[in-house]
Amino acid sequence: MRENADIKIVGKNVILIPYEAKHVEKYHKWMSDPELLKLTASEPLTIDQEYEMQETWRNDEDKCTFLVLNKDVYERTKDEIEALIGDTNLFLNQDYFLPGSDDENPHQDLNNETIIAEAEIMIAEPEARGKGFGKEAILLMLKYGQSELGVQEFVSKIGYDNITSQHLFAKLQFEEQSRSDVFQEIAFKRTVDVAWVKWLNNEVSAYEIEDYVR
């Protein structure tokens, strides 16, 4: 998404930055891991395909992605590649069905009166897991989506085996909507309302949007 191509979001322990070509090699290495492919329901890509995918993330207006930096590592080294630990994504107003739903129509307002975003978070570096980085990163992304992109409803589709992400989104006050044994997924939803925005703002201890300097 071009809207976030020139900014970064600085939190307490993480920094969210745009996905650049210089990051592709490390990202591709992550996504060569069968465990990560399974947890993220992704297909393996060649390095050339990964560069093409990076371009779509930058240019497509319905996709918003940030890479996640360990803030402490980055401030010590000034090396984005070393500090990279994962990514977080929003897919805006996609034609999607809630798994297990009987709806015949995609869960989307065809007149775009309601902005719906599917949210994802991945902490790829094993040593960075279980330290709260994922929760902070997705909180920053949800706040950005709500306050800057006008998202009115968030959804997330999480695999049956991904217990960690299921617990995380429950803590984010997402509610389970349906299950699909075919896709082995659980669909969670969070409507953006006044009470939840207040809760979100209280949860985000630091949030600064700054220019991203290449």
Side-chain angles (χ1 to χ4, degrees):
M1 175 178 281
R2 294 185 183 277
E3 187 163 342
N4 78 312
D6 298 308
I7 65 168
K8 63 181 179 180
I9 302 176
V10 181
K12 181 180 179 181
N13 298 302
V14 300
I15 303 172
L16 306 187
I17 62 170
Y19 184 18
E20 301 274 291
K22 63 185 176 182
H23 306 125
V24 168
E25 186 173 342
K26 184 168 184 177
Y27 194 90
H28 179 66
K29 183 178 179 181
W30 287 342
M31 301 313 293
S32 299
D33 182 343
E35 179 185 1
L36 281 179
L37 288 174
K38 181 180 179 181
L39 288 174
T40 59
S42 301
E43 296 294 329
L45 301 177
T46 67
I47 188 69
D48 289 339
Q49 289 172 326
E50 201 71 72
Y51 277 106
E52 292 173 3
M53 184 64 70
Q54 182 269 328
E55 283 292 320
T56 69
W57 282 112
R58 181 178 180 82
N59 296 318
D60 290 1
E61 289 305 311
D62 60 353
K63 299 181 179 71
C64 180
T65 191
F66 285 102
L67 298 186
V68 182
L69 302 185
N70 180 323
K71 185 178 180 181
D72 179 64
V73 173
Y74 179 70
E75 290 182 341
R76 284 191 289 105
T77 66
K78 301 304 179 184
D79 185 336
E80 288 182 358
I81 306 304
E82 184 175 347
L84 279 179
I85 58 173
D87 76 336
T88 181
N89 309 305
L90 293 177
F91 301 89
L92 282 88
N93 277 12
Q94 296 290 296
D95 291 335
Y96 65 88
F97 293 90
L98 291 176
S101 171
D102 294 328
D103 293 344
E104 295 182 359
N105 297 315
H107 188 72
Q108 175 191 14
D109 190 313
L110 297 179
N111 295 317
N112 290 329
E113 294 177 357
T114 301
I115 300 176
I116 302 166
E118 183 178 341
E120 295 181 342
I121 177 66
M122 175 184 74
I123 299 299
E125 291 293 329
E127 66 272 15
R129 296 172 188 163
K131 298 180 179 179
F133 295 134
K135 182 180 180 181
E136 183 180 1
I138 191 64
L139 282 168
L140 294 177
M141 180 60 112
L142 295 174
K143 182 172 176 62
Y144 179 76
Q146 174 266 319
S147 63
E148 305 299 326
L149 303 180
V151 176
Q152 296 157 285
E153 182 176 294
F154 292 101
V155 299
S156 185
K157 292 181 283 188
I158 303 172
Y160 282 178
D161 295 336
N162 196 345
I163 305 300
T164 299
S165 287
Q166 293 173 31
H167 288 167
L168 172 59
F169 277 85
K171 290 178 181 178
L172 300 173
Q173 300 191 3
F174 280 56
E175 297 180 351
E176 181 179 326
Q177 296 297 298
S178 58
R179 292 179 176 239
S180 170
D181 291 336
V182 174
F183 295 105
Q184 295 286 291
E185 287 181 338
I186 305 173
F188 292 85
K189 184 175 77 170
R190 177 67 246 179
T191 299
V192 176
D193 55 30
V194 173
W196 186 75
V197 171
K198 182 178 179 179
W199 172 87
L200 179 63
N201 289 335
N202 287 335
E203 288 290 307
V204 176
S205 59
Y207 176 88
E208 294 292 336
I209 297 179
E210 301 178 1
D211 291 338
Y212 177 69
V213 180
R214 290 173 175 80

